[in-house]
Amino acid sequence: WRPVFFVHDLIPITYPEYCREQEQAQHQQRMLHILQTATAVLVNSQYTYDELQTFAQQQQLALPPTAVAWLSCDFAERTVNVAECGLLLKSNYFVMLSTIEPRKNHLTILQVWRKLAEKYGDATPQLVLLGQQGWECEQVLDLLERAPAIRQHVVQLAIASDDALVTVLKQARASIFASFVEGFGLPLVE
């Protein structure tokens, strides 16, 4: 065996406040195992490479041969009628694509949408949240369920086909990417 590992990020170690409590210790064990057993390591960005290198130095371990291997997607020609997904979208909408979790910063964006609704009323652009519910997202869910000003201008779609995802992204005015930290940021690439 010549193990080669792919490391997406070290966020549970470097930013534990954005992860579940037990994840820091578990991810540290994973990274130690990788550093001690890997023949080679692939990472998704220069940022992740730098974080892994720093972690290796802190642990006084050698970094195995490591290369940045960017993730990508090829959805350019895929489309579908978004109404097939059960979405009734306005012609003027923005998209936020990510799992709903504290690190992705949905809470701030929803507060912005609340202010937009107060100022513009029915002319407020729609916000489409594409992504499943993650962990520690109760405040976001409370806003989505109980804040009338937000509820009438925000729709959430937890699951969408690749074709629907591409269509929603293509037809949006812009994509909002408000994360506090990312190892790579696949939603931005998509």
Side-chain angles (χ1 to χ4, degrees):
W1 289 91
R2 296 176 49 115
V4 176
F5 294 93
F6 183 87
V7 176
H8 187 72
D9 62 53
L10 278 79
I11 291 171
I13 298 168
T14 57
Y15 292 90
E17 64 272 25
Y18 296 124
C19 302
R20 289 173 275 201
E21 188 176 332
Q22 71 279 10
E23 287 186 42
Q24 183 179 21
Q26 289 174 347
H27 206 60
Q28 186 159 350
Q29 287 300 92
R30 283 184 205 108
M31 294 304 109
L32 287 170
H33 177 74
I34 287 170
L35 293 175
Q36 293 166 347
T37 63
T39 302
V41 178
L42 298 174
V43 294
N44 61 2
S45 67
Q46 184 63 45
Y47 177 78
T48 300
Y49 177 93
D50 294 343
E51 293 292 312
L52 184 60
Q53 186 174 43
T54 298
F55 179 77
Q57 290 169 349
Q58 290 170 345
Q59 302 302 315
Q60 299 178 337
L61 294 169
L63 183 65
T66 303
V68 176
W70 284 8
L71 299 172
S72 66
C73 53
D74 184 20
F75 294 141
E77 301 305 317
R78 301 173 85 160
T79 57
V80 69
N81 182 339
V82 293
E84 293 173 18
C85 307
L87 278 179
L88 299 173
L89 300 180
K90 296 178 181 178
S91 60
N92 181 19
Y93 69 89
F94 292 76
V95 173
M96 189 169 179
L97 171 63
S98 67
T99 302
I100 298 175
E101 61 177 88
R103 177 173 62 91
K104 302 296 185 169
N105 203 12
H106 288 81
L107 196 56
T108 297
I109 298 306
L110 290 177
Q111 293 300 335
V112 167
W113 241 257
R114 175 183 227 137
K115 294 292 185 190
L116 288 172
E118 289 171 5
K119 185 172 182 175
Y120 297 108
D122 289 339
T124 302
Q126 194 171 36
L127 174 63
V128 179
L129 302 179
L130 290 171
Q132 297 181 356
Q133 295 174 9
W135 48 91
E136 298 179 7
C137 61
E138 292 78 17
Q139 288 181 307
V140 170
L141 299 179
D142 288 345
L143 280 172
L144 290 172
E145 292 171 11
R146 298 194 306 240
I150 291 172
R151 198 171 50 236
Q152 69 185 50
H153 300 290
V154 178
V155 292
Q156 183 200 0
L157 182 62
I159 299 173
S161 68
D162 287 345
D163 294 343
L165 175 72
V166 170
T167 302
V168 171
L169 289 171
K170 278 183 169 181
Q171 295 176 4
R173 302 231 357 165
S175 178
I176 298 172
F177 198 71
S179 292
F180 288 111
V181 63
E182 289 290 334
F184 178 71
L186 186 58
L188 186 58
V189 172
E190 290 179 331

